[in-house]
Amino acid sequence: MNSFTRRVGAASARRPWTTIAAWVLAAVAIIALAGTAGGAFADDFVAPGSQSEQAMELLEERFPEAAGGTALAVFAVPDGQRLDSHRPAIGAAVERIAAAEHVTAVADPFAAGTVSGDGRIGYAEITFDAPATHLGPGPFDAIAAALEPARGAGVTAELGGDAAFINAETPTSGAEAAGVVAALIVLLVAFGTVVAALVPIVLALLVVAAGVSGVTLLANAMDVSTAAPTIAAMIGLGVGIDYALFITARYRENRATARDNAAALADAMASAGSAIVFASGTIVVAMAALALTGMGFLISIGLSTALVVLGAATAALTLLPALLALLGDRIDRGALPLRQRRASGTAWRRVAHRVSRRPWPYLLAAVALLLTLSAPALSMRTGFPDAGDDATSTSHRRAYDLLAEGFGPGVNGPLLLVVDLRGPGAAAGDIPALSQRVAADPGIASVGEPQTSPAGDAVVFRAVTTTAPGDAATSRTLDRVRGLVPANVSVSGMTAMTDDLSRHLGRMLPFFVAAILGASFLLLMLVFRSILVPLKAVLMNLLSIGAAYGVVVAVFQWGWLKDLFGLEETLVVPSPLPTIFFAVLFGLSMDYEVFLLSRIREAYDSSGDTVDSIGRGIAATGRVITSAALIMAAVFLAFVANPSPFARMLGLGLATAVLLDATVVRLILVPALMTLLGPANWWLPSWLRRRLPNLSLAGSAWRSSTRPSVTPPAEPPVSRSGA
C-alpha cells in the first residue's frame, strides 16, 4: 500500500498545476450543478416491514387524499379574549394559506372541536398533496408568510404539526466558523508557520464545499436526510484537516532530517499517506454498515458521510502533494517569532515510559475512568424527537405548546387507523364498534369521524392520545390499540411511525455493532498482521464510545451542566443517535489507532523492543495526534452551539470521544496494554500469516521483517515495580 500512495503522490507532485486545476474545475462544476440541479432533502422515517409502513402503502394505493402530509395553523388570543372576535383576520390568513403550493385543503378553524373550551385557541388543519417527508421547506415558508394578516390583528399565529416540524429548516448558530478559527490556531501552534497552518484549512474547506454540494446532487437521485449535510460537513471538516495535518507534519519532519523536498514528500506519502487510506477506510466501512439498518434516512447519512470522507482522503493523496510541491521551501514562511522550539517528542516519550514502568495501575485507573463515564449510558432512554423538544424560538415549538395548552398533548401526534375493507371478514358496518373500542382505551382522549375512500375499500380515522407523542405512555397506548383492532386494521401516523422506527433500530443495533466490529477487526488484522493489536483497538474504542454515550446522557437526559450547554429542558436521546454515534465514533477512533500503531510497528521492526517502540511511536506522533484531536474537538464542539438538539448531542459526543481517544486511550491504555503483552502484540498464527495479503503501512523494513511472531525483547525488560 505504501508504494501505491508513494506513486500517487509523486504523480501529483510532478504535475502540480494540472492536479490543482483538475481539482478546482471539479469542485466548481459540482458546486454549480448543486445550485441548479440539486435535490431537496427529505427524511424517510418508515421502518421496513412495520405496520405503519403497511398502512401508508395502503393509503397511497387506495386513498391518496388521506396519505398526504398535514400541518396545523394555530391561532391564539390573550386571556379574557375570544378567537371568534378576530374572524376576518383569521379568515384572510386561511384564504392565503389555501393558495400556497402543494396545499389541497384548509379546514375551518372555527369548526366544532377545533377551538379550545375557553375560546382562546384554535387551529386549522392544512392538507397537502404529498407525504410530509417529500414536501421540503418551500410550502411552509409561504404558509408562514400567509399568517401575517392574523398577526397584524393582534392574534398569535404559529405553524405546527408533523409536516411543519419535519420540514423545518435547521438553523445555524454561526459557531461553526469559530471551530475553523480554533483549528487554525491549533495548526499555527503545531507547525509554527502561517503557510503550513493554512494548507490543511484550505484543503478541508474545498473538500467540504464540494462534498456537501455532492450530497445535494445525491438528493436528486434518492431520499437524503435533512441531517446528512450537517453530519457530512462536520466529519468532512474534521478529517479533511486531520489528513492534511498528518501528511504535512510527516513531510516537514522528513525535511528536518536534511532530505531534499522530493524525497521528503515521497516518504511522507508512503507512510502517512498509506495510513490515511486505511484510516479513511475504517470510517467508510463504519458508515456503509448503516445500510444494515434498512432505514432510508440512515443509509443516506452513511452514504453522504462516506462520500465526503473519501473526498478528503483523495484530496490528501493528490491535491496536497501538488500544493506541497509548489510551495517547496515556502512551506516554512510566516514563522511565529515567539514560538520556542523544544526537543521533539521528549515529553511524550517520558509519558509513555512512565506508564510502561507501572502498566497495571495506569491500566486499571484508565479503565475505571472510562467505565465511570460510561455508567450513565446504562440508563439511556431513547425516543424520537418531536416539536416539543425544539427551542421555543421556533414557530412549530410554540404551536406545539399552544395546542397542548388548548387541547391536550396528544393532539400533537394523533394515531391514524387505516381499515382495509377488502380484508377477510371486513365490513363497513364494523367501523362504529371499532371506534368505540378504541375510544374506550384509557390512553385515548378522542376518536375522529371516519373517512371512506372514493372506492369504498378503505376507511381512515384518527385517535388522539391523552399523552404527548414522545411519552413512554403513548408507546404503551399504541401497543394496546394495536391489540384491540382486527388484522385488517393498521395503525400509522407520525407517532406510530417513529415508535416503529425506534423499535426497529433497537432490534438492529446488536447486528449493526457486530458487523462494524468484525469488519474493523479484519481490516486492522490485515494492516498490522496481528491478532491482539486489532482486538485491543476494538475493545479500547468500545470504552471510549461508551464514555461518549454516558456524557451525552448525563448532560441531555439527566440535565447535568445543562445551563452551560444552553438547554431549556432535559431530552431523551433520539433513537437514531446511538446508531449514528457508533458508526461515526468507531471510524474516527480508529484514525488515531492506525496512525499511532503504524509508527510503533515501524519502531518495533527496527529495535525489537516493545517498550522502546511504544515510546518512539508516541514521541513521533504525540504533537501531531494531539493537534489533530484538538482540531476535531474544536470543530465538533462548535456544533454544540447549534439550535438543534440533535446537532448538539452529536457535537458533544464526538468531541468527548475524540478527546478521550487522544488522551486516556493513546497515552495510557495503549502503552500499558502493549507493555503487558510484549512481543505477543504482533503474534499471528503462521498458517494465517501465509494466507493473508500483505497490506502493511510501515515500509520495507516491516514488509521484509522475518522476526519471529513472539520473541523476547532485545533489551532488558523495564521494571514494573518502580515509579
Side-chain angles (χ1 to χ4, degrees):
M1 180 56 68
N2 59 340
S3 60
F4 168 74
T5 55
R6 182 191 294 270
R7 288 196 302 270
V8 170
S12 300
R14 281 195 302 271
R15 301 175 183 82
W17 285 115
T18 302
T19 303
I20 293 171
W23 265 97
V24 171
L25 288 175
V28 170
I30 292 172
I31 294 170
L33 279 174
T36 57
F41 299 108
D43 287 303
D44 176 11
F45 294 132
V46 177
S50 64
Q51 188 180 116
S52 55
E53 180 188 42
Q54 296 167 9
M56 295 310 297
E57 288 177 349
L58 188 145
L59 283 181
E60 290 171 3
E61 176 188 348
R62 304 186 198 173
F63 201 173
E65 297 87 348
T70 59
L72 300 175
V74 184
F75 305 96
V77 292
D79 290 336
Q81 298 185 28
R82 294 187 62 83
L83 202 62
D84 54 11
S85 63
H86 297 274
R87 278 180 180 268
I90 294 174
V94 168
E95 290 179 6
R96 294 178 64 179
I97 292 172
E101 184 182 13
H102 293 296
V103 173
T104 59
V106 184
D108 181 7
F110 297 100
T114 61
V115 179
S116 62
D118 59 4
R120 287 184 49 248
I121 303 172
Y123 65 88
E125 184 177 71
I126 306 166
T127 305
F128 298 95
D129 60 6
T133 55
H134 291 77
L135 290 169
F140 300 93
D141 293 337
I143 294 172
L147 294 174
E148 287 305 319
R151 292 179 179 137
V155 178
T156 298
E158 306 292 352
L159 180 59
D162 292 334
F165 169 62
I166 291 172
N167 292 281
E169 293 187 282
T170 303
T172 59
S173 63
E176 293 83 355
V180 176
V181 173
L184 178 58
I185 293 172
V186 173
L187 288 170
L188 285 170
V189 174
F191 286 140
T193 70
V194 174
V195 174
L198 285 174
V199 168
I201 295 289
V202 172
L203 199 77
L205 290 177
L206 176 65
V207 166
V208 169
V212 172
S213 298
V215 172
T216 305
L217 287 174
L218 184 65
N220 220 352
M222 60 179 288
D223 287 341
V224 176
S225 169
T226 55
T230 300
I231 296 175
M234 185 188 304
I235 305 305
L237 190 59
V239 301
I241 295 174
D242 276 5
Y243 292 165
L245 165 64
F246 285 125
I247 290 179
T248 304
R250 191 68 185 263
Y251 168 61
R252 297 182 77 229
E253 178 186 331
N254 292 343
R255 290 177 73 247
T257 61
R259 274 182 272 186
D260 64 85
N261 288 346
L265 181 56
D267 288 348
M269 296 307 301
S271 54
S274 56
I276 283 171
V277 170
F278 286 99
S280 60
T282 58
I283 299 179
V284 171
V285 167
M287 299 312 296
L290 287 172
L292 296 176
T293 65
M295 303 298 306
F297 79 99
L298 286 179
I299 294 172
S300 70
I301 288 173
L303 182 57
S304 301
T305 306
L307 287 174
V308 176
V309 170
L310 284 175
T314 304
L317 296 176
T318 57
L319 180 57
L320 180 58
L323 290 172
L324 294 177
L326 277 181
L327 287 172
D329 292 336
R330 291 188 293 273
I331 191 69
D332 295 324
R333 290 271 181 91
L336 298 182
L338 299 179
R339 184 171 179 267
Q340 297 180 350
R341 296 187 178 273
R342 294 171 293 179
S344 176
T346 302
W348 304 109
R349 188 187 293 264
R350 284 201 301 268
V351 170
H353 282 293
R354 185 176 295 118
V355 174
S356 294
R357 282 194 292 269
R358 302 185 64 188
W360 278 113
Y362 280 103
L363 175 64
L364 294 176
V367 171
L369 172 63
L370 293 176
L371 289 177
T372 300
L373 291 175
S374 303
L378 297 175
S379 62
M380 180 187 293
R381 289 188 298 109
T382 60
F384 206 87
D386 56 35
D389 295 322
D390 266 357
T392 53
S393 58
T394 60
S395 182
H396 53 265
R397 167 61 190 272
R398 294 193 294 269
Y400 180 100
D401 292 340
L402 286 171
L403 288 168
E405 178 187 348
F407 306 94
V411 74
N412 284 293
L415 304 178
L416 192 67
L417 282 79
V418 181
V419 185
D420 180 6
L421 293 181
R422 295 182 188 173
D430 298 333
I431 300 300
L434 175 63
S435 297
Q436 291 177 4
R437 281 204 309 275
V438 173
D441 186 274
I444 299 297
S446 63
V447 174
E449 289 295 322
Q451 302 176 45
T452 305
S453 65
D457 56 0
V459 172
V460 178
F461 61 94
R462 294 183 180 179
V464 176
T465 60
T466 58
T467 50
D471 284 357
T474 303
S475 181
R476 294 192 291 270
T477 298
L478 173 63
D479 288 339
R480 290 196 304 271
V481 169
R482 282 176 168 166
L484 288 171
V485 299
N488 66 313
V489 180
S490 301
V491 184
S492 189
M494 187 55 64
T495 298
M497 290 169 65
T498 54
D499 190 84
D500 288 343
L501 180 149
S502 297
R503 298 183 191 206
H504 177 78
L505 288 175
R507 291 191 300 269
M508 290 301 301
L509 188 59
F511 302 100
F512 170 75
V513 169
I516 290 184
L517 295 182
S520 300
F521 177 84
L522 291 175
L523 183 60
L524 289 177
M525 184 174 66
L526 287 173
V527 174
F528 293 108
R529 301 182 69 77
S530 165
I531 295 292
L532 294 179
V533 163
L535 180 61
K536 170 186 63 65
V538 165
L539 293 177
M540 289 191 301
N541 288 335
L542 284 176
L543 283 173
S544 62
I545 291 171
Y549 281 166
V551 170
V552 168
V553 170
V555 172
F556 290 91
Q557 185 177 307
W558 292 0
W560 292 6
L561 303 177
K562 70 183 182 72
D563 293 336
L564 177 64
F565 292 96
L567 298 178
E568 297 175 1
E569 56 194 358
T570 58
L571 305 167
V572 297
V573 176
S575 52
L577 203 62
T579 306
I580 296 173
F581 253 6
F582 193 88
V584 175
L585 290 177
F586 198 85
L588 292 179
S589 297
M590 284 298 183
D591 268 8
Y592 299 144
E593 286 292 313
V594 170
F595 284 107
L596 173 59
L597 292 176
S598 63
R599 293 301 289 266
I600 292 176
R601 182 62 197 256
E602 277 187 69
Y604 182 77
D605 270 329
S606 65
S607 71
D609 185 334
T610 299
V611 173
D612 178 70
S613 62
I614 293 169
R616 288 167 59 186
I618 289 179
T621 60
R623 177 179 296 173
V624 177
I625 291 182
T626 300
S627 301
L630 289 175
I631 288 167
M632 281 247 193
V635 170
F636 296 152
L637 285 174
F639 283 83
V640 175
N642 191 291
S644 166
F646 184 88
R648 291 184 182 189
M649 290 185 191
L650 198 60
L652 180 61
L654 292 176
T656 300
V658 165
L659 290 175
L660 288 173
D661 275 331
T663 53
V664 178
V665 172
R666 176 173 57 92
L667 294 179
I668 300 177
L669 285 179
V670 167
L673 270 174
M674 294 190 77
T675 297
L676 291 170
L677 292 172
N681 283 295
W682 313 111
W683 174 76
L684 187 68
S686 57
W687 63 268
L688 185 57
R689 181 182 298 275
R690 290 191 300 270
R691 288 167 173 78
L692 288 180
N694 199 320
L695 302 177
S696 61
L697 310 179
S700 58
W702 185 344
R703 292 196 306 273
S704 61
S705 174
T706 58
R707 179 175 289 106
S709 298
V710 182
T711 59
E715 297 179 15
V718 174
S719 170
R720 298 188 179 109
S721 58

